[in-house]
Amino acid sequence: LQQLYTAILRHDPVLVPVDAAPVMDLPLSRPAQLPPPVGHFTGRAGELRALDGMLHGTDCRIAVISGLGGMGKTALAVQWGHRVRREFPDGQLLMDLQGHDSAALTPTAALTAIVRSLGVPGEQIPVELAELTGLYRTLLDGKRVLVVLDNAASADQVRPLVPASPTAALVITSRLPLTALATYHAVRLTRLAALDDDEALALLRTVAGSDRVDAELDQAAKIVVWCGGMPLALRIAAAKLAGDPAAPLRDLAAELAGGDRLDALSVDGDSRSVRTVFASAYRTLSEPAARLFRLLGLHPGATFARHLAAALARLQLGEADRALAELAGAYLVTEVGHGRFRFHDLIQLYAAECVRRDEDAGRRTEATERLVDWYLGVADAANRALDRGRDKISPSLRHPPACVPFAPNHQDTLAFLDDERENLPAVVRFATDQGRYPAAWQLTYLLTGFFDSRGRWADRVEICLLGLSAAQRLADPTAESLMRSGLGVAYLMTRQYDAALDCFYPALELARAGGDRRREGLVYNNIATAYAGLRRFPEALEVYLDALAVHRTIGDRLGIALALNNIGTSYLRLGQPELSFPQLSPALALSREIDNPRIEAGVLFTLGEAYLRLGKHVEALDNFRRALDIRRTIGDRRREVDTLTMLGVAYLAQGDHAAAVEQLRAARRLSHDLADQHLVSVSLTQLAQAHLARDELDAAGECLRRALLLRSRMPDAYEEATIHRALAELAERAGQPAVADEHRERAVRLYQKANAATELTELSSAGSRS
């Protein structure tokens, strides 16, 4: 009896009758293996609805949830599993495949554990994978069971675990998209990205308390930004807030902003920090991909091109593409356009940490040089395509780019630099911080043509300040003169005319001291433009004539054409349009001789203004249209706005109100695209005039109110006076004479401040008639 009892305890095979029931007839246990749902689950409504689709029909009962570690893949799968568990009354299985660990489960090990949990005794579990798979699918046949496979490593690891029965459903989570699985089965692919701002704030509210978050909403928004919308990071931040209820949110926001953010995003007693999640993904990379990942941590910008990645790691373009594909497959980078990638902010911090830890100082220095030289080589090629007259420097590169990532024409060059725009200030600052002072100011100089075409003058001011600082550290008078001139032009375009003059006069002295007559003539031209901005037109004309004399002395045809065009513009501003034509005709011919479309378009634009002042609307429209065609061809979007605006003004003067509205709306849209508040305000003011001409008073009033609001952010006395002048007309038309008088008086004071004598006279005459 004791021997029999011992044999029973040991499950001795001799006790099994020969005619025992086959395994498939064993009663199936009802597993309930889902862990508790994640507390305070927030967001992912769209993803949950997509998973709900598996409940309807039988054609696709497999879902793959993929994404970077920390994005909440497992939380989503578990949340959905609990949400629909009544649909699976025969049980819910969960198996962690440990795919991101070095000892990932084999399909055999995973199936052995699953069938044991389904009630099959250990001695009856087959050893061979094929038999195990058959047993597993037999057990689930006709059963309404949910299977969750967490942390899958590959499609090969998962494929034997796919149920055959249409009554079962399979949800897989993985850091890889497992696209190969779709070659065998119908699969619903769900890729988890960061939470949006509203979802992230909702998560903070649920954990830390709505009243507390709403009381410091600006600080909560900063915490969301520093966490990059990553659910794990947000939960850690929220847990820290919940653990210290008396601490203000600004303390955590300051900790995340000022210190080591990856250190801050951890909680004592929890081993799963943001850093450990990233580290587990980094460890699984091949060596080429891992090295590229950490070297990219040197990049200071938001996105990067595949060509830069290749240059940084000394890879052929095809090799770089394969490494980038591996990084993208692991969600360590995201492709945001053809050949362009982005880091999540926190991953970029981790990559920078890896390059400091895993690359020695010599290799880091070389990679830094490669990065700066790549940008310098690209900027040099872009400058040659955009502005052949800007030829003061030709950078010497230790590591020139193997190939330039754009064709040498305006459109392709500008399109590439548009993608790089957010990086440019950061790269110039990076070059300065690395002591590459020649590269910093040369980058600033070579990027001038891009900013001339695209605007974004706030970025330009920032870059020029960095370039000037670098030139001063080098004690290079030529570089300092160029940088002071560049900064002055940036101030001109941001309508800071006095600051511009403070840059131009020292630049003029440096040019004279160095005997650079061409530079002297160009600085004269810029000084005159600043005077014109201050509406000191007689002084502007005098200095433009000085610039013309210098350019003629040295035979600089480009400078001559530029000065002649500006002299013609000065006569327009002085109310003498007939005197502009003797300047503009030779300027136009000269611009075509030297094949400079930028200056040609500028002269055509000025001719359009001159004809408009003389009431010759057909000629004005013809010249504006030709200028617009050229500016669109070369991608000069900043001046395209000016041209569209003047086309609208010309159509309005001609009486074609519908065409005027069309052009002015186009100008407003493009101004918004350029994020140029001055241009938006100007286009709105002119659009209001078109609405007034059509007796659309409400639309005119809305335009003028928006234009005036923008002037509070971009002050300009002349433009603000013009808005009040139009508001006065609007009030008169609306039968509000007192309001009209208030706006008219305000316009008079502003015109006086702006030194606008002609407009003052016109306004006084209008006031006396009313």
Side-chain angles (χ1 to χ4, degrees), residues 405-601:
F406 48 82
N409 59 61
H410 280 82
Q411 295 294 352
D412 288 348
T413 301
L414 290 172
F416 180 82
L417 291 178
D418 283 338
D419 290 337
E420 287 285 347
R421 183 185 60 79
E422 292 183 22
N423 295 334
L424 301 179
V427 170
V428 175
R429 187 181 301 106
F430 178 79
T432 303
D433 292 342
Q434 299 299 316
R436 295 284 306 273
Y437 302 127
W441 79 259
Q442 289 172 5
L443 272 169
T444 302
Y445 176 83
L446 293 169
L447 290 169
T448 299
F450 169 67
F451 286 100
D452 279 348
S453 296
R454 291 303 202 234
R456 304 287 180 176
W457 291 101
D459 287 345
R460 180 65 180 162
V461 169
E462 180 183 357
I463 288 176
C464 287
L465 286 168
L466 291 167
L468 176 58
S469 173
Q472 288 173 324
R473 292 191 187 199
L474 290 168
D476 183 335
T478 299
E480 184 176 346
S481 177
L482 290 169
M483 290 300 95
R484 287 191 179 277
S485 292
L487 178 58
V489 171
Y491 282 139
L492 280 180
M493 301 308 294
T494 52
R495 314 186 78 73
Q496 302 177 68
Y497 302 115
D498 290 322
L501 288 170
D502 288 341
C503 292
F504 290 142
Y505 278 112
L508 180 63
E509 293 304 315
L510 287 165
R512 285 173 173 167
D516 189 340
R517 297 303 307 280
R518 182 183 175 203
R519 167 65 28 197
E520 181 184 345
L522 292 173
V523 177
Y524 270 132
N525 183 76
N526 291 333
I527 289 171
T529 302
Y531 281 134
L534 293 167
R535 306 194 69 77
R536 292 161 61 176
F537 298 121
E539 292 165 273
L541 177 58
E542 182 180 346
V543 181
Y544 279 136
L545 290 168
D546 290 339
L548 179 61
V550 172
H551 288 305
R552 279 180 168 160
T553 299
I554 61 175
D556 179 9
R557 295 194 296 167
L558 185 151
I560 293 169
L562 185 64
L564 286 170
N565 183 51
N566 288 329
I567 292 168
T569 303
S570 295
Y571 282 125
L572 287 177
R573 303 294 177 260
L574 288 167
Q576 300 171 298
E578 67 282 355
L579 297 181
S580 65
F581 291 99
Q583 316 298 323
L584 298 175
S585 295
L588 183 60
L590 195 52
S591 69
R592 289 168 174 167
E593 286 177 21
I594 62 176
D595 189 24
N596 191 307
R598 186 184 299 276
I599 294 181
E600 180 183 353

Side-chain angles (χ1 to χ4, degrees), residues 193-207:
L195 296 174
D196 64 32
D197 290 349
D198 290 339
E199 291 173 329
L201 282 171
L203 178 56
L204 287 183
R205 286 189 178 98
T206 57
V207 180

